Amino acid sequence: MKKIVIMLLAIIMHFQFVAAGTITVTNLMSQQATVTIDTEKKTYAIQVNPSENLNVQKNLDNGINQYDNPLPKLNFDNSGIKKITIKRMQSDLPQIIYYNDEVVTDRTNKPSGIYAINLSKSGTMKIDQDGVDLNGIVYSLNDVSSFYAKCKKLKDMLTSKKPDFKMIEQGVNDLAQSLRLFESSDKAASLSLQLAVTRLEVDYLVNKLQIINQIKEYAQSLQSITQGLTATNVDAVASKLNNMIIGLQTVEQIQLPDTIDIKKIKKNINTLQEKIATIQHATKATDRPMLVNQ
């Protein structure tokens, strides 16, 4: 029995190991760098010293570089890389690369970049002052095009049939924070057009999420005030309802996800209006002065 358990554990551990990803990092700078990988599940980070400190020895027979100390490796889970951040010690501005499910290949049609790493669960990273080479694709320090691509992906997620609003909001907040870093940096002028276009898209997403969240609050508030409606608070409830109706009218023409059911909210509003009218009518009838026969 013990042998069976041990064999099962060995099999599980084997598959976990195979499923995990590994990036081998070469730091071509003379300064330390920190590499952070965000997957769909977790964040992983490693500090990388300059590779020149690893005492490179040239193998003259085959021209392959051999290291006394192995190059550092950053391990990550198999859920897929969604973001890579590289912090160079001598710069306050990190290099941020978002992966947005693009299929990237080299001239020979071979998978490259982050796409190749997610595909094979292994890859190489070479960092220098001007950018980073990921499996043969160079991502420039002065290129924030992945930010704009991330915006497009988030917009597609927002208009899907079953959007995960929590995940989308986290993605938008992360993207907005990254964008602010570049907007306040010394690279803002040279990247002004890229940043301006991306800012428009980020603001659109932020505003759209605010509207969706407000409508959700309306729906919850509508349920609450309907359940708590009494003859005592009927006028206050009527006033709140009127404000909600005006607010909904301003967003009625905006395209919203299918999960935001405006028709259902309007139906509940009509039901509450009828209840309010019934209570107010009964109250007025009660308050009407009685005629005294003389």
Side-chain angles (χ1 to χ4, degrees), residues 78-141:
N78 66 339
S79 63
I81 296 172
K82 64 178 182 179
K83 178 183 174 185
I84 292 178
T85 304
I86 299 164
K87 181 74 171 64
R88 295 161 176 83
M89 182 177 286
Q90 295 177 359
S91 174
D92 292 331
L93 183 65
Q95 181 174 4
I96 300 171
I97 306 163
Y98 289 98
Y99 178 65
N100 306 290
D101 301 327
E102 304 99 334
V103 175
V104 182
T105 58
D106 61 15
R107 293 178 181 177
T108 63
N109 212 30
K110 180 182 177 182
S112 302
I114 301 175
Y115 168 66
I117 298 171
N118 278 342
L119 204 62
S120 64
K121 308 304 177 190
S122 66
T124 59
M125 176 186 295
K126 298 175 184 177
I127 308 168
D128 61 27
Q129 285 291 136
D130 301 318
V132 59
D133 182 315
L134 290 168
N135 272 35
I137 297 294
V138 177
Y139 296 82
S140 170
L141 188 62

Side-chain angles (χ1 to χ4, degrees), residues 141-263:
L141 188 62
N142 295 323
D143 183 5
V144 292
S145 59
S146 70
F147 287 30
Y148 184 76
K150 181 69 173 179
C151 287
K152 290 182 65 178
K153 182 180 178 181
L154 289 168
K155 286 177 75 173
D156 290 342
M157 291 171 65
L158 195 60
T159 55
S160 63
K161 289 186 177 180
K162 293 183 178 180
D164 185 334
F165 291 115
K166 184 178 180 180
M167 181 182 292
I168 294 170
E169 193 161 8
Q170 288 174 345
V172 172
N173 290 339
D174 180 79
L175 184 58
Q177 183 179 2
S178 298
L179 187 60
R180 284 194 295 270
L181 286 174
F182 280 80
E183 288 174 334
S184 60
S185 73
D186 57 0
K187 292 187 176 294
S190 60
L191 297 173
S192 59
L193 183 57
Q194 289 187 66
L195 295 176
V197 172
T198 306
R199 169 53 64 189
L200 284 174
E201 296 298 319
V202 170
D203 287 346
Y204 168 85
L205 286 165
V206 169
N207 292 333
K208 197 70 173 280
L209 284 171
Q210 286 178 343
I211 292 170
I212 290 170
N213 287 334
Q214 187 62 59
I215 292 174
K216 286 182 177 180
E217 288 181 14
Y218 276 6
Q220 291 173 356
S221 179
L222 183 60
Q223 184 178 7
S224 177
I225 62 177
T226 300
Q227 292 173 347
L229 178 64
T230 65
T232 306
N233 67 6
V234 64
D235 291 334
V237 170
S239 178
K240 284 183 180 180
L241 183 60
N242 187 55
N243 291 335
M244 290 174 63
I245 292 170
I246 294 171
L248 285 172
Q249 286 173 346
T250 60
V251 298
E252 208 166 358
Q253 303 302 318
I254 296 176
Q255 183 180 0
L256 294 169
D258 294 338
T259 50
I260 304 298
D261 194 346
I262 293 292
K263 289 183 179 179

Side-chain angles (χ1 to χ4, degrees), residues 68-79:
D68 283 351
N69 299 312
L71 289 169
K73 297 179 184 294
L74 178 55
N75 298 319
F76 54 94
D77 62 66
N78 66 339
S79 63

Side-chain angles (χ1 to χ4, degrees), residues 13-33:
M13 289 179 68
H14 169 74
F15 279 107
Q16 283 180 338
F17 178 78
V18 170
T22 303
I23 291 182
T24 302
V25 186
T26 304
N27 182 359
L28 301 175
M29 304 180 296
S30 59
Q31 57 179 288
Q32 191 182 65

